Amino acid sequence: MFSIILAAAMMAAQPVAEPPVSDPSVKPQYPTLPVITDNEHLYETFGGKDGLTALMDDAMNRWLANPRTRPFFEHADQARIKELLVKQFCVVMHGPCTYDGRTMAEAHRGMNISEGSFYALVEELQVAMNKRHIPFNAQNRLIAGLAPMHRDIINNK
Ligand code: HEM
C-alpha cells in the first residue's frame, strides 16, 4: 500500500521555493515542499489552518504515546514542530502559507530515524486523520506528498 502511494508521489510532486540550507554539507534529495497539484481543494478538505492545527495537536499526542516515535519528540520543542508542520502541510496542499522551517534533510540530520519509526509516525497521522473524518482519497494525497521525504529523513546520520 505504502509503496503504491510512494510511486504516485514521485510522479505528482513538484518542487517549490525551498528554505535555505544553512550547512552546505547538507544535500537534500527531495523537496521539503512538494506541492500536490491534482486537488486544489485539499487545504479546505483538511479544514484550513484550524483543521490542520487540531490535526497536529492530535498527531503529536499520538507520536508522544507511541514507543517508536516518543523518544524523538519527548524532549523536542513540540509547539514549534507542530506550528512548522501546519505551515509545511499548508504549502504542500497549495494553501495560503509560507514555510519558514528548515529542509527535511537539515531538520532530521543526526537523528538516525529508522524506517519503522517513519512508518509509525505516518500511521499515527493516519489514525488522527481518520478521527477527523478526512476522506480517504484526501489522506492519500497528503501521504503521497510526504512519502518521498523519507529519503531525507530515514537513516539521516
Ligand atoms: C513525512 C514525515 C515527516 C515530516 C513531513 C516531518 C516534518 C518536520 C518538520 C516540518 C519539522 C520542523 C523543521 C524545523 O525544525 O525547522 C520537523 C522536525 C522534527 N522532526 Fe520531523 N518530519 C517527518 C518525519 C519525522 C520522523 C519519522 C521523526 C521521528 C520519529 C521526526 C522527528 C522530528 C523531530 C524530533 C524534529 C525536531 C528537530 C529539532 O528540533 O531539531 N520527524 N519535522
Side-chain angles (χ1 to χ4, degrees):
M1 179 63 179
F2 199 75
S3 58
I4 297 170
I5 294 172
L6 196 70
M10 286 168 182
M11 290 183 280
Q14 288 179 6
V16 294
E18 286 290 292
V21 178
S22 63
D23 180 343
S25 71
V26 175
K27 302 206 183 332
Q29 299 181 59
Y30 190 81
T32 291
L33 301 171
V35 173
I36 300 163
T37 51
D38 62 346
N39 186 339
E40 288 179 9
H41 306 292
L42 204 52
Y43 180 65
E44 287 73 25
T45 305
F46 274 78
K49 191 175 179 215
D50 289 349
L52 281 176
T53 301
L55 177 67
M56 283 311 133
D57 284 342
D58 188 18
M60 182 58 80
N61 286 335
R62 292 175 191 283
W63 297 332
L64 288 168
N66 186 316
R68 296 182 104 160
T69 46
R70 182 179 52 231
F72 298 94
F73 291 105
E74 60 186 348
H75 302 301
D77 185 343
Q78 296 147 18
R80 179 175 178 275
I81 298 172
K82 284 192 286 186
E83 202 182 310
L84 286 169
L85 279 166
V86 169
K87 290 179 182 169
Q88 183 192 40
F89 284 17
C90 172
V91 174
V92 168
M93 294 179 193
H94 260 197
C97 311
T98 306
Y99 174 75
D100 52 4
R102 293 171 288 171
T103 66
M104 292 298 92
E106 192 148 45
H108 300 93
R109 190 156 71 141
M111 286 190 214
N112 208 5
I113 295 168
S114 70
E115 203 170 318
S117 296
F118 184 89
Y119 290 152
L121 176 138
V122 173
E123 278 165 23
E124 295 294 1
L125 177 63
Q126 285 173 320
V127 174
M129 291 191 288
N130 283 334
K131 292 268 178 221
R132 296 190 58 76
H133 307 292
I134 307 288
F136 193 55
N137 79 328
Q139 293 191 22
N140 278 351
R141 283 191 161 79
L142 173 63
I143 302 289
L146 304 180
M149 294 179 188
H150 82 275
R151 289 178 220 146
D152 283 337
I153 296 173
I154 293 174
N155 299 327
N156 183 338
K157 295 172 185 149

